[in-house]
Amino acid sequence: MAKFYARRRMSILAALTALIASAALFNSPTASAALPTPVSAATARTYLASLTVATEDRTGYDRDLFNHWITISGTCNTRETVLKRDGTNVVTSSACAATSGTWYSPYDGATWTAASDLDIDHLVPLAEAWDSGADSWSSSLRQQFANDLTRPQLIAVTDNVNQSKSDQDPAEWMPSVTSYRCTYVRAWVQVKYYYDLSVDSAEKSALTSYLASC
């Protein structure tokens, strides 16, 4: 746990840089906001080199051990907050449900006008996190991970694409939009580094390969 907090302090500067870049998205009249901008490829490569390589073990995994979609503000939970953040011209009801808007799914390049067509993807899946070290976390840390709006961990994407991805890592699944893959792996490594999660050997090899071309 001490290692986790040390890494959190080390990543403050990178996180601030990402937040500044994200703010530019919010201030742009033509671009819709999306997940917080991940660290640079160079930083991601440095982070990746420091991650522990270990075999995954899903023994005891249960999605309910990650308290997800908590209330963020007023009547809005995490899912609704991400839908508002990632969409364009999103209109919500008094219960914070998105009643209209437009969403672009960067994984597959599809555009949607109904919130029901979207899932909120945990970029590093909950099961993957469990395999990589979250099995030893406290309930509060698992809740933080499952609802993290600060790191590039949550993003609105086409529902069946998210379901196809399931709990696979970048050695097993990548977005079909090739131009988004660099963003995806940078985000993946940043999240794993921040939370001091391990990678397996195939995962590290895939990440190394993708980052080399970023």
Side-chain angles (χ1 to χ4, degrees):
M1 191 62 65
K3 189 176 180 183
F4 161 73
Y5 286 111
R7 287 193 169 181
R8 183 169 68 174
R9 288 193 296 271
M10 289 174 63
S11 63
I12 286 175
L13 181 59
L16 286 174
T17 302
L19 285 172
I20 290 168
S22 295
L25 287 175
F26 281 97
N27 292 330
S28 169
T30 57
S32 63
L35 86 169
T37 304
V39 296
S40 69
T43 298
R45 286 191 286 268
T46 299
Y47 284 0
L48 179 59
S50 73
L51 295 182
T52 299
V53 178
T55 302
E56 296 181 349
D57 178 10
R58 192 160 302 179
T59 304
Y61 170 71
D62 184 338
R63 186 176 175 84
D64 290 340
L65 293 170
F66 294 81
N67 184 22
H68 52 288
W69 304 170
I70 61 172
T71 299
I72 299 299
S73 177
T75 60
C76 300
N77 66 21
T78 313
R79 171 184 164 82
E80 293 157 346
T81 300
V82 176
L83 284 172
K84 289 170 67 177
R85 183 197 71 186
D86 288 3
T88 301
N89 298 325
V90 177
V91 176
T92 59
S93 69
S94 58
C96 204
T99 57
S100 64
T102 303
W103 291 267
Y104 172 77
S105 169
Y107 287 2
D108 58 330
T111 298
W112 303 99
T113 56
S116 59
D117 288 320
L118 298 148
D119 279 353
I120 307 305
D121 181 38
H122 288 97
L123 195 136
V124 175
L126 303 182
E128 168 70 23
W130 181 269
D131 292 351
S132 308
D135 57 336
S136 65
W137 289 355
S138 65
S139 296
S140 61
L141 186 53
R142 284 196 288 265
Q143 176 175 295
Q144 176 187 326
F145 179 84
N147 300 277
D148 192 344
L149 295 167
T150 303
R151 263 61 56 182
Q153 164 66 349
L154 298 172
I155 185 169
V157 297
T158 303
D159 53 2
N160 63 351
V161 171
N162 182 52
Q163 291 152 25
S164 175
K165 171 189 171 180
S166 185
D167 57 9
Q168 298 178 91
D169 68 33
E172 304 160 319
W173 185 93
M174 285 291 283
S176 61
V177 175
T178 56
S179 61
Y180 196 71
R181 291 178 177 178
C182 183
T183 300
Y184 186 83
V185 295
R186 285 157 47 212
W188 183 282
V189 171
Q190 180 180 346
V191 171
K192 283 228 159 176
Y193 178 86
Y194 182 85
Y195 285 99
D196 193 23
L197 294 169
S198 64
V199 290
D200 64 40
S201 57
E203 177 188 355
K204 183 172 183 178
S205 178
L207 290 167
T208 300
S209 178
Y210 285 116
L211 284 170
S213 61
C214 283

